[in-house]
Each structure stands twice: as C-alpha cells, then as structure tokens.
C-alpha cells in the first residue's frame, strides 16, 4: 500500500506539473491543458491541442517518458496486490475491525507470547469471546493463520484499551514479558474501568504485590506454578492427573465448571438435596462460594442455595451446560 500511495502521488505531481506548464507557458485554457496532459500520459496519439513551442515539446517528451513509467509502475503494483491478495487482506482486516467495535462481554489479552497463545487456545475451546492486543508485528502471521482477532497496538496506551472495548469487556489479561509493563497496563485498565476483572502475569514472584497494588484482581506467576506442579507430580501424581482431567482434558467428557445462581433461579432458596442436581444431572458439587466470599467445600446436603452463590461442579460437559442454562 505504501508503494502504491507513492506512485499515485508521483502521478498526481507529474499531472499537476503538466497542466500548470501548458496553462501558464503555452497559454492554453485550463480545460485544454487538462486534455493535453490526459492524451499525453495515455499516449492515445490525438496530437497537439495547439502548436507547442520547442521548449513545450521537450517538456512533453519528459512528461511522456516519466508519466508512462509511473503509470506502468502504478498499474503493476496494483495488479500485484490483487494477485497476492493484499487488497483482500486489507478489506478483510476492515471487517475484523468493525467486528471488534461490536464486541461485548469479551476478554482482552495483552501480549501474544507463549502465555497469550495458550490463553487464546483455551478461551476458544470454551467458546469465549476475546481480543488480542499485540505490539510485535512478527506475530501477525500466527494471528492471521489461527483466525485470532487482534489489534497491532501498544496495550500501555489507554486509547488502545478504549479501542479494544475495555468499557464493554468482561475481563482483561496482561501477559506481556515485562512486569513493569504489566503493572502499567493494570494501572491504566483499572483507571479506565474500576470494576473490570484483571488477571496479571508476574515473571518474578516478588512483583505479585506490586501488581495487586496496581489493581490486579488475580496475579499468576507461571514459573512458580510450574515448579509447584512439578513437585505435585512427584508427590501426588494421581491427584494431578485427576485435576487435569477435571479442568483441562476433555477426552473423558468430564469437566469442572462454575455457575452463579442468579436472582429468580429455580434453585434459589432450596437446599442441595431439594435441588436434585446430583439426581437429575449426576454432577458432584465440589464447593459453594457464598456471596460473602466464604468457601464451603464438600457442602452438606442441607446447605441452602442463595442468590449470587457460585457452585463449583464436576460432571459431564453436556450436563453442566444444561445446568448453566437453567441456573
């Protein structure tokens, strides 16, 4: 596109020069000067509009040579763009940008490194809407290949977050390599949207406190989690296998998910045994997070379900989807 713009600018400059010369020095009317430059650049061979001076003929030769070269280069560039699909990509990008403007209840992922790629893979698997903000142009090929909606901008800029729809987003994940940048992005996001859920990555565990002070709702240190997981695999491998099956692996058709009891839910005000969740759907209620934040693990059958309680359930994926729809 840059080459095409340059060639078009040169074409306009030559045209403007020719019209001005014929009008001023050859005493042509403005319309005759435009017609003269048109037949000269197009080489249709109509002849001179009016007799030219020797200097005028030399200028015309220059316009023909230079103009034809520019015209050929412009046409070749345009054809090459059509062949290589560059125009299609550009128009396709415009469509994506329009979709981005309509996004709502989505997640904004800042950074498309190793963590960002894993995040998009999991969100896509769970049919969640998301948008990636990446500043490194070398990631474009991967983003385009996977059909990932993205913006090639700096996530530290508040205008970028506004363009990404932070005011309509469900949550934001900042997973860039620099902890300092993660702190800055967290501060900016919290300033723009005080109630948004912010998940921040900490490369160094010592920076977790800084990220929380900046406004992060949750902070994750991949290296710390990796070390803990490796230790658990050594000490309790079966427990880790079960957690993987329940949270990440769908090959057994099982999943651990959460669902909030909204106002007006048919389960509101009932005890667990009265809800018949286990009987009707075969799910296991692992815990209940009360609206006060209290966690009740392995809750009693007589535990009363209240509005805004969050149920963590283990069961078949299809059954969990049905329960979510009802709750």
């Amino acid at each position: 596109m840059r080459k095409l713009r340059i060639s078009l600018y040169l074409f306009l400059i030559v045209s403007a020069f020719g019209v001005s010369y014929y009008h001023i020095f050859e005493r042509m009317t403005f319309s005759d000067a435009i017609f003269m430059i048109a037949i000269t650049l197009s080489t249709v061979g109509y002849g001179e509009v009016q007799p030219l001076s020797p200097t005028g003929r030399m200028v015309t030769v220059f316009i023909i040579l230079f103009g034809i070269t520019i015209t050929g280069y412009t046409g070749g560039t345009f054809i090459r763009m059509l062949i290589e699909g560059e125009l299609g990509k550009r128009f396709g990008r415009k469509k994506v940008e329009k979709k981005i403007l309509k996004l709502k209840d989505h997640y904004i992922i800042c950074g498309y490194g190793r963590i960002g790629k894993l995040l998009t893979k999991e969100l896509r698997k769970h049919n969640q809407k998301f948008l990636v903000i990446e500043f490194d142009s070398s990631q474009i090929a991967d983003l385009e290949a996977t059909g990932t909606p993205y913006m090639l901008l700096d996530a530290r800029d508040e205008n970028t977050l506004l363009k990404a729809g932070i005011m309509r987003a469900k949550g934001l994940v900042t997973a860039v390599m620099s902890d300092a940048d993660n702190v800055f992005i967290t501060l900016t996001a919290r300033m723009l949207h005080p109630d948004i859920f912010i998940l921040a990555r900490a490369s160094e565990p010592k920076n977790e406190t800084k990220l929380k002070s900046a406004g992060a709702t949750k902070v994750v240190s991949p290296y710390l989690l990796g070390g803990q997981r490796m230790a658990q695999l050594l000490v309790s491998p079966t427990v880790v296998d079960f957690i993987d099956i329940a949270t990440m692996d769908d090959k057994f058709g099982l999943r651990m998910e959460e669902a909030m009891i909204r106002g007006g839910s048919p389960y509101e005000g009932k005890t667990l045994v009265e809800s018949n969740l286990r009987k009707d759907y075969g799910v296991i209620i692992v815990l209940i997070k009360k609206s006060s934040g209290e966690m009740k693990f392995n809750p009693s059958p007589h535990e009363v379900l209240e509005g805004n309680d969050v149920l963590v359930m283990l069961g078949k994926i299809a059954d969990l989807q049905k329960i979510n729809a009802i709750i």
Side-chain angles (χ1 to χ4, degrees), residues 287-312:
L287 70 86
I288 299 176
K289 180 182 179 182
K290 307 299 288 185
S291 57
S292 62
E294 180 187 3
M295 298 278 195
K296 295 197 173 185
F297 294 92
N298 190 23
S300 162
H302 304 292
E303 183 68 40
V304 178
L305 302 177
E306 300 172 339
N308 295 324
D309 282 357
V310 178
L311 307 183
V312 178

Side-chain angles (χ1 to χ4, degrees), residues 35-48:
F35 182 70
M36 184 65 185
I37 197 67
I39 62 175
T40 300
L41 290 178
S42 61
T43 66
V44 295
Y46 282 162
E48 300 170 357

Side-chain angles (χ1 to χ4, degrees), residues 224-265:
L224 179 61
L225 287 177
Q228 291 174 343
R229 177 179 170 81
M230 292 174 72
Q232 288 169 352
L233 280 169
L234 293 174
V235 178
S236 308
T238 306
V239 173
V240 175
D241 288 342
F242 169 74
I243 293 173
D244 286 347
I245 290 171
T247 57
M248 292 182 288
D249 197 340
D250 293 340
K251 66 181 179 181
F252 293 109
L254 297 174
R255 187 179 293 169
M256 188 178 292
E257 286 195 358
E258 65 177 56
M260 178 182 286
I261 298 178
R262 304 291 185 181
S265 167

Side-chain angles (χ1 to χ4, degrees), residues 112-130:
Y112 194 65
R114 288 175 294 179
I115 301 297
K117 290 176 182 177
L118 289 172
L119 280 167
T120 59
K121 181 181 177 181
E122 290 299 316
L123 289 174
R124 189 178 286 111
K125 187 169 73 174
H126 289 83
N127 297 317
Q128 296 292 323
K129 294 179 289 185
F130 62 87

